[in-house]
């Protein structure tokens, strides 16, 4: 963990448990929660990678797994049907 300001923010560095010469899976994950109105919060999630090839940047843009995770979480929090790719693999509530 590189930053902790509960309950408003946290950040941590990640890397694989095995040696990796190109640093592709090294980076930082951060979350910031700000109250925008009574009972409503804005959540900002940032994932930064230290090294990316052009091909992996394009793949990440097309795949956009972090956005799919957020769509899944939002649908479940709001009690709506979850149409995300992750949600299709999880049991519906």
């Amino acid at each position: 963990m590189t930053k902790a300001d509960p309950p408003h923010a946290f950040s941590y560095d990640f890397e694989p448990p095995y040696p990796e010469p190109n640093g592709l899976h090294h980076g930082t994950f951060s979350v910031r929660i700000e109250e925008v109105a009574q009972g409503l919060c804005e959540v900002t999630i940032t994932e930064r990678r230290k090294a990316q090839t052009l091909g992996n940047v394009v793949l990440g843009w097309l795949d956009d797994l972090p956005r799919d995770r957020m769509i899944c979480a939002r649908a479940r929090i709001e009690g709506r049907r979850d149409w995300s790719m992750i949600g299709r693999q999880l049991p519906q509530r």
Side-chain angles (χ1 to χ4, degrees), residues 42-64:
E42 180 175 282
V43 179
T44 304
I45 299 172
T46 307
E47 184 176 314
R48 292 197 169 120
R49 301 287 178 136
K50 291 185 179 181
Q52 291 285 298
T53 63
L54 179 58
N56 283 326
V57 170
V58 171
L59 179 62
W61 180 73
L62 293 172
D63 180 38
D64 202 1

Short mmCIF file of all heavy atoms in Angstrom, two decimals, residues 42-64:
data_model
loop_
_atom_site.label_atom_id
_atom_site.label_comp_id
_atom_site.label_asym_id
_atom_site.label_seq_id
_atom_site.Cartn_x
_atom_site.Cartn_y
_atom_site.Cartn_z
N GLU A 42 -18.92 10.09 -5.45
CA GLU A 42 -18.27 9.84 -6.73
C GLU A 42 -17.04 9.00 -6.44
O GLU A 42 -16.23 9.35 -5.57
CB GLU A 42 -17.86 11.16 -7.38
CG GLU A 42 -17.17 10.97 -8.72
CD GLU A 42 -16.89 12.29 -9.39
OE1 GLU A 42 -17.84 12.87 -9.96
OE2 GLU A 42 -15.73 12.72 -9.33
N VAL A 43 -16.91 7.90 -7.14
CA VAL A 43 -15.78 7.00 -6.95
C VAL A 43 -14.91 7.05 -8.19
O VAL A 43 -15.39 6.83 -9.31
CB VAL A 43 -16.26 5.55 -6.71
CG1 VAL A 43 -15.07 4.62 -6.53
CG2 VAL A 43 -17.19 5.48 -5.50
N THR A 44 -13.63 7.36 -8.00
CA THR A 44 -12.68 7.41 -9.10
C THR A 44 -11.67 6.29 -8.91
O THR A 44 -11.01 6.21 -7.87
CB THR A 44 -11.94 8.77 -9.13
OG1 THR A 44 -12.91 9.81 -9.21
CG2 THR A 44 -11.00 8.85 -10.32
N ILE A 45 -11.57 5.43 -9.92
CA ILE A 45 -10.64 4.30 -9.86
C ILE A 45 -9.64 4.47 -10.99
O ILE A 45 -10.03 4.68 -12.14
CB ILE A 45 -11.38 2.97 -9.98
CG1 ILE A 45 -12.36 2.82 -8.81
CG2 ILE A 45 -10.41 1.80 -10.05
CD1 ILE A 45 -13.28 1.65 -8.92
N THR A 46 -8.37 4.41 -10.65
CA THR A 46 -7.31 4.59 -11.63
C THR A 46 -6.36 3.40 -11.56
O THR A 46 -5.93 3.01 -10.48
CB THR A 46 -6.52 5.89 -11.35
OG1 THR A 46 -7.44 6.97 -11.26
CG2 THR A 46 -5.50 6.15 -12.42
N GLU A 47 -6.05 2.85 -12.72
CA GLU A 47 -5.05 1.78 -12.80
C GLU A 47 -4.00 2.22 -13.81
O GLU A 47 -4.31 2.50 -14.97
CB GLU A 47 -5.71 0.48 -13.28
CG GLU A 47 -4.76 -0.69 -13.31
CD GLU A 47 -5.46 -1.98 -13.69
OE1 GLU A 47 -6.55 -2.27 -13.15
OE2 GLU A 47 -4.91 -2.69 -14.54
N ARG A 48 -2.77 2.34 -13.35
CA ARG A 48 -1.67 2.76 -14.22
C ARG A 48 -0.66 1.64 -14.35
O ARG A 48 -0.23 1.06 -13.35
CB ARG A 48 -0.99 4.00 -13.65
CG ARG A 48 -1.90 5.19 -13.70
CD ARG A 48 -1.12 6.47 -13.52
NE ARG A 48 -1.99 7.58 -13.84
CZ ARG A 48 -2.31 8.53 -12.99
NH1 ARG A 48 -1.78 8.53 -11.79
NH2 ARG A 48 -3.11 9.49 -13.35
N ARG A 49 -0.28 1.35 -15.57
CA ARG A 49 0.73 0.32 -15.83
C ARG A 49 2.06 0.99 -16.11
O ARG A 49 2.11 2.05 -16.74
CB ARG A 49 0.33 -0.52 -17.05
CG ARG A 49 -1.00 -1.22 -16.92
CD ARG A 49 -0.89 -2.37 -15.96
NE ARG A 49 -2.18 -3.01 -15.79
CZ ARG A 49 -2.34 -4.31 -15.79
NH1 ARG A 49 -1.31 -5.11 -15.90
NH2 ARG A 49 -3.53 -4.82 -15.62
N LYS A 50 3.15 0.37 -15.65
CA LYS A 50 4.47 0.99 -15.82
C LYS A 50 5.01 0.81 -17.23
O LYS A 50 5.72 1.65 -17.73
CB LYS A 50 5.45 0.40 -14.80
CG LYS A 50 5.11 0.83 -13.40
CD LYS A 50 6.15 0.36 -12.42
CE LYS A 50 5.78 0.85 -11.02
NZ LYS A 50 6.72 0.46 -10.03
N ALA A 51 4.71 -0.31 -17.88
CA ALA A 51 5.24 -0.55 -19.22
C ALA A 51 4.17 -1.23 -20.06
O ALA A 51 3.54 -2.18 -19.62
CB ALA A 51 6.48 -1.44 -19.14
N GLN A 52 3.94 -0.72 -21.25
CA GLN A 52 2.94 -1.29 -22.14
C GLN A 52 3.46 -1.25 -23.57
O GLN A 52 4.04 -0.25 -23.99
CB GLN A 52 1.64 -0.49 -22.08
CG GLN A 52 0.89 -0.61 -20.78
CD GLN A 52 0.18 -1.94 -20.67
OE1 GLN A 52 -0.68 -2.26 -21.46
NE2 GLN A 52 0.57 -2.71 -19.69
N THR A 53 3.22 -2.31 -24.30
CA THR A 53 3.49 -2.28 -25.73
C THR A 53 2.27 -1.67 -26.41
O THR A 53 1.17 -1.64 -25.84
CB THR A 53 3.73 -3.70 -26.28
OG1 THR A 53 2.52 -4.46 -26.10
CG2 THR A 53 4.89 -4.38 -25.57
N LEU A 54 2.42 -1.21 -27.62
CA LEU A 54 1.30 -0.62 -28.35
C LEU A 54 0.18 -1.65 -28.51
O LEU A 54 -1.00 -1.33 -28.34
CB LEU A 54 1.76 -0.11 -29.72
CG LEU A 54 0.67 0.51 -30.59
CD1 LEU A 54 0.01 1.68 -29.87
CD2 LEU A 54 1.23 0.94 -31.92
N GLY A 55 0.53 -2.89 -28.79
CA GLY A 55 -0.48 -3.94 -28.95
C GLY A 55 -1.29 -4.15 -27.68
O GLY A 55 -2.51 -4.32 -27.73
N ASN A 56 -0.63 -4.12 -26.53
CA ASN A 56 -1.35 -4.30 -25.26
C ASN A 56 -2.20 -3.09 -24.91
O ASN A 56 -3.25 -3.23 -24.29
CB ASN A 56 -0.38 -4.61 -24.13
CG ASN A 56 0.08 -6.04 -24.18
OD1 ASN A 56 -0.66 -6.93 -24.57
ND2 ASN A 56 1.32 -6.27 -23.79
N VAL A 57 -1.78 -1.90 -25.31
CA VAL A 57 -2.59 -0.71 -25.09
C VAL A 57 -3.88 -0.81 -25.91
O VAL A 57 -4.98 -0.57 -25.40
CB VAL A 57 -1.81 0.58 -25.45
CG1 VAL A 57 -2.74 1.79 -25.46
CG2 VAL A 57 -0.67 0.79 -24.48
N VAL A 58 -3.77 -1.21 -27.16
CA VAL A 58 -4.95 -1.37 -28.01
C VAL A 58 -5.86 -2.47 -27.46
O VAL A 58 -7.08 -2.30 -27.38
CB VAL A 58 -4.54 -1.66 -29.47
CG1 VAL A 58 -5.74 -2.04 -30.31
CG2 VAL A 58 -3.82 -0.47 -30.06
N LEU A 59 -5.28 -3.59 -27.06
CA LEU A 59 -6.07 -4.68 -26.48
C LEU A 59 -6.80 -4.21 -25.22
O LEU A 59 -7.99 -4.50 -25.03
CB LEU A 59 -5.18 -5.88 -26.15
CG LEU A 59 -5.87 -7.07 -25.51
CD1 LEU A 59 -6.92 -7.65 -26.45
CD2 LEU A 59 -4.85 -8.13 -25.14
N GLY A 60 -6.12 -3.48 -24.35
CA GLY A 60 -6.75 -2.96 -23.14
C GLY A 60 -7.87 -1.99 -23.44
O GLY A 60 -8.89 -1.97 -22.76
N TRP A 61 -7.69 -1.19 -24.50
CA TRP A 61 -8.73 -0.25 -24.89
C TRP A 61 -9.96 -0.99 -25.42
O TRP A 61 -11.09 -0.65 -25.10
CB TRP A 61 -8.18 0.71 -25.93
CG TRP A 61 -9.18 1.72 -26.40
CD1 TRP A 61 -9.63 2.80 -25.70
CD2 TRP A 61 -9.85 1.74 -27.66
NE1 TRP A 61 -10.54 3.50 -26.46
CE2 TRP A 61 -10.69 2.88 -27.67
CE3 TRP A 61 -9.79 0.93 -28.78
CZ2 TRP A 61 -11.48 3.19 -28.76
CZ3 TRP A 61 -10.59 1.24 -29.86
CH2 TRP A 61 -11.42 2.37 -29.85
N LEU A 62 -9.73 -2.02 -26.22
CA LEU A 62 -10.85 -2.79 -26.77
C LEU A 62 -11.54 -3.64 -25.70
O LEU A 62 -12.75 -3.76 -25.68
CB LEU A 62 -10.35 -3.69 -27.91
CG LEU A 62 -9.88 -2.97 -29.17
CD1 LEU A 62 -9.24 -3.95 -30.13
CD2 LEU A 62 -11.04 -2.24 -29.83
N ASP A 63 -10.76 -4.24 -24.83
CA ASP A 63 -11.29 -5.14 -23.80
C ASP A 63 -11.88 -4.35 -22.64
O ASP A 63 -12.99 -4.61 -22.20
CB ASP A 63 -10.17 -6.06 -23.32
CG ASP A 63 -10.63 -7.03 -22.25
OD1 ASP A 63 -11.77 -7.51 -22.34
OD2 ASP A 63 -9.85 -7.28 -21.32
N ASP A 64 -11.15 -3.38 -22.12
CA ASP A 64 -11.56 -2.50 -21.03
C ASP A 64 -12.13 -3.24 -19.82
O ASP A 64 -13.26 -2.99 -19.38
CB ASP A 64 -12.54 -1.45 -21.54
CG ASP A 64 -12.57 -0.22 -20.63
OD1 ASP A 64 -11.81 -0.18 -19.64
OD2 ASP A 64 -13.34 0.71 -20.91
#
